[in-house]
Amino acid sequence: MVPPYRARKQKPSLGRRLWRRVWRALVGAMILAVAVVALLRWLPPPTTGFIVEARLGARLAGRELSVTRIWTDAGCLPDSARLAVIASEDQKFAGHRGFDFDQIVDALAAARRGAGLRGASTISQQTARNLFLWSGQSWVRKGLEAGLTVLLELLWPKRRILEVYLNVAEFGPGIYGLEAASQRFFAKPARRLTPHESALLAAVLPSPQRFDAAAPSAYLRERQRRIVGQMPRVRELAGMTELLEGPGRCVRGD
């Protein structure tokens, strides 16, 4: 008996197969990103995207880059450093959800007037960028940065974002994190930083390759003075109490 005719199942087109692979890759990347960000809520990051980029750049230039990075738990980070970086980098940090839209609008308006595109990144955005991405400007990087910033804000408390930022920010060539910067520039642990010393370190953050905390210029000193003057006002902002009450105490022996 002749079997009934069955229509041959057509194979998906090449375009559809490629689209499925791209879609699966994107879903896999998103799941991986969520898992990594979730783990880093509790674990110190082993390295950062900026450190990897700096080392690769140095190697391609035929030299080795000396990197100093010392992880410091929240209990060993002084309140003066928290206040200083918030005063310098993101005074709305305690209240926003990752993005300061007023600053973004102002930066775009200034760019349209020909003043150049100035930075409008929050501490959350800078943490996402330093941890996972690279320097430079591109729409691809900005899109990835935005997505990672949303993840950080969803999965980490503000206190953790600030703790990680203070541990991964670059304070000079090859100097990453507050503890490394404190020992390099002031020969003492970060927990002993004075408000003026914390303000000086915060003052270099916009351009750590250009500003030198070991030999501060007149401009850098003026930034330091402004930050010191703003720190008492920042302490009084809504939401700052939680950020300044570090979990646990510093157990370092130094």
Side-chain angles (χ1 to χ4, degrees):
M1 184 176 180
V2 179
Y5 173 77
R6 293 182 181 177
R8 180 178 296 178
K9 189 176 181 180
Q10 292 185 344
K11 290 183 178 180
S13 66
L14 177 61
R16 181 168 294 183
R17 293 200 304 272
L18 287 175
W19 170 247
R20 285 178 180 175
R21 290 180 182 179
V22 169
W23 176 248
R24 288 170 183 166
L26 288 174
V27 171
M30 287 188 288
I31 293 173
L32 179 62
V34 171
V36 170
V37 171
L39 283 174
L40 292 181
R41 174 171 177 167
W42 293 281
L43 300 177
T47 188
T48 72
F50 272 32
I51 292 175
V52 172
E53 179 189 24
R55 280 180 164 155
L56 285 175
R59 186 159 296 180
L60 290 174
R63 57 185 176 83
E64 289 295 324
L65 176 68
S66 175
V67 171
T68 305
R69 187 173 76 100
I70 305 169
W71 179 268
T72 306
D73 291 334
C76 294
L77 297 172
D79 281 354
S80 64
R82 293 182 174 93
L83 289 169
V85 298
I86 291 173
S88 172
E89 299 293 291
D90 183 7
Q91 294 193 11
K92 297 181 181 179
F93 174 69
H96 65 60
R97 298 305 301 168
F99 306 94
D100 186 342
F101 293 104
D102 292 336
Q103 286 290 326
I104 292 172
V105 170
D106 290 346
L108 292 175
R112 285 195 294 269
R113 293 195 299 269
L117 187 60
R118 60 181 175 83
S121 296
T122 63
I123 286 175
S124 301
Q125 289 174 270
Q126 292 180 54
T127 304
R129 182 191 316 151
N130 288 1
L131 264 182
F132 301 111
L133 302 175
W134 61 92
S135 60
Q137 297 288 340
S138 73
W139 288 110
V140 172
R141 198 214 67 183
K142 287 182 181 296
L144 293 172
E145 178 186 305
L148 289 165
T149 298
V150 171
L151 277 183
L152 291 187
E153 288 281 344
L154 286 173
L155 299 178
W156 294 5
K158 286 284 189 179
R159 188 164 53 194
R160 177 60 174 175
I161 295 174
L162 188 57
E163 176 188 16
V164 172
Y165 177 71
L166 286 169
N167 274 284
V168 303
E170 185 180 12
F171 291 91
I175 303 169
Y176 295 87
L178 188 72
E179 185 68 32
S182 180
Q183 294 187 20
R184 167 64 176 82
F185 297 116
F186 303 113
K188 61 182 178 182
R191 66 185 178 87
R192 295 180 182 167
L193 286 171
T194 68
H196 282 79
E197 290 165 345
S198 293
L200 180 60
L201 292 179
V204 309
L205 288 174
S207 187
Q209 298 291 327
R210 181 162 60 97
F211 299 142
D212 186 358
S217 63
Y219 174 77
L220 194 60
R221 286 295 188 190
E222 177 58 29
R223 279 185 55 82
Q224 178 192 24
R225 283 191 290 271
R226 289 201 302 268
I227 292 169
V228 169
Q230 292 170 351
M231 285 164 65
R233 185 177 68 83
V234 170
R235 182 185 286 273
E236 302 302 320
L237 294 176
M240 285 301 300
T241 301
E242 180 184 353
L243 293 177
L244 297 179
E245 292 177 351
R249 61 187 180 87
C250 183
V251 295
R252 289 182 180 274
D254 46 15

